[in-house]
C-alpha cells in the first residue's frame, strides 16, 4: 500500500482535558439574563434544573477543565476516533484539494453526542441525581443520553418530538433497548403538553415544545435534573475532544488545514472540531477558514438576528444572546432533524459576531447529492446533518479545481446515516424537495 489514509491515536492519547474557548475570546461572552429582571442569572437559578458541578462548568473561566478518569474510560469504548483522508472523493471530484474527515460516527450511538451525554450523566451521578429528563428531535440525543444513563445507573426520561416518534421508530427502539422511557411530545405528562394537546390533538411537536416539557418534568419530580445535548457552553466544552485529537492527527498526516467545516444545528459538533483550532487562530495567529454549515430551511446563523432570546417555546429558560429565528419559529420538516433548532449556541454565535468563523446555508437536494457521492466513494453513509458539511466541502474542493490550487480541507463527520436510510431512499426516488 502506497498511501496512508487513516490516522489513529492510541487509547492513552484520549485528551485529559477539555478546552474552554470562553477563556480565550477577545471579548467576553454576554451572560444569560433572567427574563423578568433582565439581570445576569444567578447560578442558583440554573441549579434548579442542572447540578452545581455542571453549572460551574457552564460559567467556568478556566482555559482547561480536567476530564474525570471514569469518563475517559467510557470514551475509550470508541475514542480516539479516526481521522481519514477521503482520497476516493478527491479523485471523483478531480480536485487538487486534500480532504480529511474526523469520524464521530464511530461511537456506539453513531454520533458525536455521546461525547457530552457521558460526562453529563457522570457529573449528575456524582451530584446525587437519580433521574434525567431531556428532549430529542429525531432521537440522536435521546439515544446518546439513554446509553450514558444506562452506563452510570440512572433513569432517563425522554420527550421525543411527535412527528419523529411516529416516523422514526428505530432510534425510539434504541432508547428502549438502552433502558430509557420515551414520550411523544406534546405529551400528557406535563401541564404544557396537555394544554397544547387540548388546543390541537394533532400537534406535530417541535424541539422548543419538547424542551419546555422536559424542563417542566424536571422541576416537578424529585432527584431529577435536565440535560441538553447541544447549545450550552458545557456541551461545547465536552465536544472539544474532537478538535484536540484532530490537531494531533493532522500533524500525523503531515498537513495543516486551510479550511475546517462542520454542520451546525445547536452548534456542538461544530464547536467540538472548531474551538481547539480557534485557540490556535486567536493565540498563534493561524489563518484557518472555519465554516459552520446550516440548512437553508432553518438558517439561524445566516438569516437570524443576534439578540437575547428564549431557548424554548414556553419561555421557561433564561434569555441567551444568540443568532435566532425567534423562539416561536417552527422549522419545516427537513430530513436533517438534528439541525432544526431556532437558535444557535451562544459561543458559536459570539465567534461569528467576532469574525472568527463564517457561516453558509445549503439546500436539502444538494445535501443529499453530496451525502450520496460520499457514500459511493468513501463507503460511509453520512447522517443528513453531516452531509451539510460535505456539500460545503465539495464546493470548496471544486473551487480549488477551477483555480488549480491545492487546499487542505478538514471536516467533522458528526455521525453515520444508517438510521436515516429512508431519507436517502426518498432522495434516490427523486422526491426530496428544497423548502
Ligand atoms: C444532533 C446532530 C447534529 C446537530 O447538533 P449540533 O449540536 O449542531 O452538533 C449534527 N450531526 C449529527 C449526526 C447529530 O446527531
Amino acid at each position: 500500500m502506497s498511501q496512508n489514509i487513516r490516522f489513529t491515536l492510541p487509547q492513552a492519547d484520549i485528551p485529559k482535558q477539555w478546552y474552554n474557548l470562553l477563556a480565550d475570546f477577545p471579548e467576553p461572552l454576554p451572560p444569560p439574563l433572567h427574563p423578568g429582571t433582565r439581570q445576569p442569572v444567578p447560578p442558583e437559578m440554573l441549579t434548579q434544573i442542572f447540578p452545581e458541578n455542571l453549572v460551574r462548568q457552564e460559567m467556568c473561566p478556566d482555559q482547561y477543565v480536567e476530564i474525570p478518569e471514569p469518563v475517559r474510560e467510557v470514551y475509550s469504548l470508541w475514542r480516539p476516533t479516526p481521522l481519514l483522508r477521503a482520497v476516493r472523493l478527491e479523485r471523483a471530484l478531480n480536485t487538487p484539494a486534500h480532504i480529511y474527515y474526523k469520524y464521530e460516527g464511530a461511537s456506539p450511538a453513531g454520533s458525536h453526542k455521546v461525547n457530552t451525554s457521558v460526562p453529563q450523566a457522570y457529573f449528575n451521578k456524582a451530584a446525587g441525581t437519580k433521574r434525567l429528563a431531556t428532549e430529542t428531535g429525531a432521537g440522536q440525543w435521546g439515544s446518546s443520553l439513554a446509553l450514558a444513563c444506562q452506563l452510570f445507573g440512572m433513569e432517563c426520561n425522554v420527550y421525543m418530538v411527535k412527528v419523529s416518534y411516529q416516523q422514526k421508530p428505530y432510534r425510539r427502539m434504541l432508547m428502549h433497548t438502552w433502558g430509557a422511557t420515551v414520550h411523544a411530545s406534546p405529551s400528557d405528562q406535563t401541564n404544557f403538553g396537555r394544554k397544547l394537546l387540548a388546543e390541537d390533538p394533532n400537534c406535530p411537536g417541535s424541539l422548543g415544545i419538547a424542551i419546555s416539557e422536559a424542563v417542566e418534568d424536571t422541576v416537578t419530580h424529585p432527584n431529577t435534573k435536565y440535560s441538553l445535548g447541544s447549545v450550552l457552553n458545557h456541551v461545547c466544552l465536552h465536544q472539544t475532544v474532537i478538535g484536540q485529537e484532530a490537531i494531533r492527527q493532522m500533524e500525523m498526516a503531515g498537513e495543516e488545514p486551510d479550511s475546517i467545516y462542520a454542520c451546525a444545528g445547536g452548534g456542538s459538533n461544530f464547536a467540538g472540531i472548531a474551538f481547539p483550532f480557534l485557540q490556535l487562530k486567536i493565540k498563534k495567529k493561524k489563518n484557518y477558514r472555519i465554516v459552520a454549515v446550516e440548512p437553508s430551511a432553518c438558517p439561524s446563523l445566516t438569516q437570524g438576528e443576534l439578540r437575547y432570546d428564549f431557548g424554548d417555546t414556553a419561555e421557561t429558560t433564561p434569555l441567551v444572546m444568540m443568532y435566532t429565528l425567534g423562539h416561536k419559529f417552527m422549522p419545516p420538516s427537513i430530513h436533517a432533524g438534528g439541525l432544526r433548532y431556532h437558535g444557535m449556541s451562544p459561543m458559536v454565535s459570539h465567534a461569528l459576531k467576532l469574525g472568527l468563523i463564517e457561516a453558509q446555508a445549503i439546500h436539502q437536494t444538494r445535501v443529499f447529492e453530496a451525502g450520496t457521492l460520499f457514500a459511493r466513494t468513501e463507503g460511509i453513509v453520512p447522517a443528513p446533518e453531516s452531509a451539510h458539511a460535505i456539500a460545503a466541502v465539495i464546493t470548496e474542493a471544486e473551487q480549488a479545481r477551477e483555480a488549480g490550487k491545492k487546499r487542505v480541507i478538514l471536516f467533522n463527520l458528526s455521525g453515520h446515516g444508517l438510521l436515516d436510510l429512508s431519507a436517502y431512499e426518498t432522495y434516490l426516488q427523486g422526491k426530496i424537495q428544497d423548502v
Side-chain angles (χ1 to χ4, degrees):
M1 284 197 294
S2 55
Q3 193 180 14
N4 197 4
I5 57 162
R6 185 180 166 94
F7 304 91
T8 53
L9 295 166
Q11 186 178 316
D13 286 353
I14 295 171
K16 295 193 168 64
Q17 299 170 318
W18 291 297
Y19 165 62
N20 185 10
L21 177 63
L22 281 182
D24 291 328
F25 268 133
E27 278 174 35
L29 184 75
L33 301 184
H34 186 284
T37 64
R38 293 194 73 96
Q39 293 299 308
V41 289
E44 302 83 75
M45 189 180 163
L46 296 177
T47 51
Q48 287 169 8
I49 58 170
F50 298 112
E52 259 170 49
N53 48 15
L54 286 177
V55 171
R56 269 199 306 279
Q57 278 183 14
E58 184 66 17
M59 303 181 155
C60 179
D62 304 340
Q63 199 173 29
Y64 292 97
V65 175
E66 192 197 319
I67 306 179
E69 225 20 63
V71 171
R72 289 184 77 236
E73 274 168 28
V74 176
Y75 277 173
S76 72
L77 290 172
W78 71 94
R79 305 212 72 83
T81 56
L83 177 91
L84 289 106
R85 183 165 158 203
V87 285
R88 289 171 182 78
L89 176 64
E90 291 168 14
R91 263 179 238 142
L93 296 170
N94 190 24
T95 176
H98 290 189
I99 302 174
Y100 291 87
Y101 63 96
K102 179 77 168 149
Y103 186 44
E104 291 297 308
S107 82
S111 82
H112 66 288
K113 289 197 172 74
V114 268
N115 295 332
T116 185
S117 70
V118 168
Q120 288 195 47
Y122 170 81
F123 284 111
N124 268 287
K125 177 86 177 182
T129 308
K130 302 246 182 307
R131 181 174 172 275
L132 283 175
T134 198
E135 74 291 327
T136 195
Q140 290 104 324
W141 170 243
S143 51
S144 297
L145 192 67
L147 172 61
C149 283
Q150 187 58 230
L151 292 174
F152 288 104
M154 274 192 291
E155 277 179 55
C156 185
N157 206 35
V158 184
Y159 292 85
M160 182 172 190
V161 176
K162 198 200 275 167
V163 279
S164 302
Y165 185 94
Q166 290 163 344
Q167 291 171 7
K168 310 215 159 145
Y170 287 104
R171 284 208 185 80
R172 187 181 82 213
M173 295 173 198
L174 201 48
M175 288 184 258
H176 285 148
T177 303
W178 282 327
T181 305
V182 190
H183 307 285
S185 166
S187 76
D188 60 3
Q189 302 284 305
T190 65
N191 283 328
F192 187 59
R194 285 186 290 268
K195 175 173 157 265
L196 293 177
L197 286 176
E199 286 163 17
D200 174 9
N202 297 319
C203 175
S206 73
L207 213 46
I209 293 170
I211 295 176
S212 302
E213 285 207 283
V215 171
E216 185 183 326
D217 178 298
T218 302
V219 297
T220 53
H221 286 79
N223 298 321
T224 299
K225 293 291 180 197
Y226 170 67
S227 179
L228 191 65
S230 186
V231 180
L232 297 175
N233 300 347
H234 68 268
V235 177
C236 294
L237 177 80
H238 298 158
Q239 293 295 351
T240 59
V241 288
I242 302 173
Q244 292 182 70
E245 289 174 6
I247 287 173
R248 301 215 24 217
Q249 289 164 309
M250 288 302 298
E251 283 167 11
M252 288 170 79
E255 301 214 79
E256 196 165 6
D258 297 303
S259 306
I260 298 155
Y261 288 84
C263 67
S268 73
N269 90 89
F270 172 81
I273 194 147
F275 286 4
F277 284 98
L278 268 175
Q279 181 183 33
L280 304 178
K281 186 164 174 167
I282 294 166
K283 294 281 169 191
K284 303 220 163 132
K285 305 278 175 249
K286 293 284 188 183
N287 194 21
Y288 304 128
R289 175 170 186 232
I290 304 182
V291 187
V293 189
E294 62 184 8
S296 299
C298 193
S300 52
L301 283 172
T302 54
Q303 302 281 317
E305 252 186 297
L306 181 65
R307 62 174 168 87
Y308 274 106
D309 193 13
F310 289 100
D312 73 328
T313 310
E315 308 185 349
T316 51
T317 68
L319 292 167
V320 290
M321 178 61 91
M322 62 180 176
Y323 283 95
T324 176
L325 298 162
H327 62 280
K328 304 274 187 207
F329 179 76
M330 279 276 195
S333 67
I334 52 167
H335 290 277
L339 304 183
R340 295 175 69 237
Y341 183 63
H342 68 269
M344 182 56 63
S345 141
M347 290 181 80
V348 173
S349 296
H350 197 54
L352 181 64
K353 184 208 146 193
L354 295 177
L356 293 166
I357 63 167
E358 302 168 31
Q360 287 179 9
I362 299 202
H363 283 290
Q364 274 200 120
T365 45
R366 174 105 179 107
V367 165
F368 279 95
E369 187 191 332
T372 305
L373 177 62
F374 190 84
R376 289 178 180 181
T377 50
E378 294 297 316
I380 294 169
V381 180
E385 290 85 357
S386 320
H388 284 72
I390 299 173
V393 165
I394 288 175
T395 300
E396 184 167 334
E398 287 170 343
Q399 285 163 353
R401 179 183 64 211
E402 300 316 315
K405 274 209 324 232
K406 181 186 162 192
R407 293 283 284 179
V408 179
I409 305 173
L410 167 67
F411 73 94
N412 194 35
L413 184 40
S414 53
H416 68 64
L418 292 180
L419 294 181
D420 304 282
L421 288 176
S422 62
Y424 276 92
E425 172 146 281
T426 308
Y427 168 73
L428 294 172
Q429 290 167 343
K431 291 192 208 143
I432 293 259
Q433 279 167 3
D434 289 333
V435 196

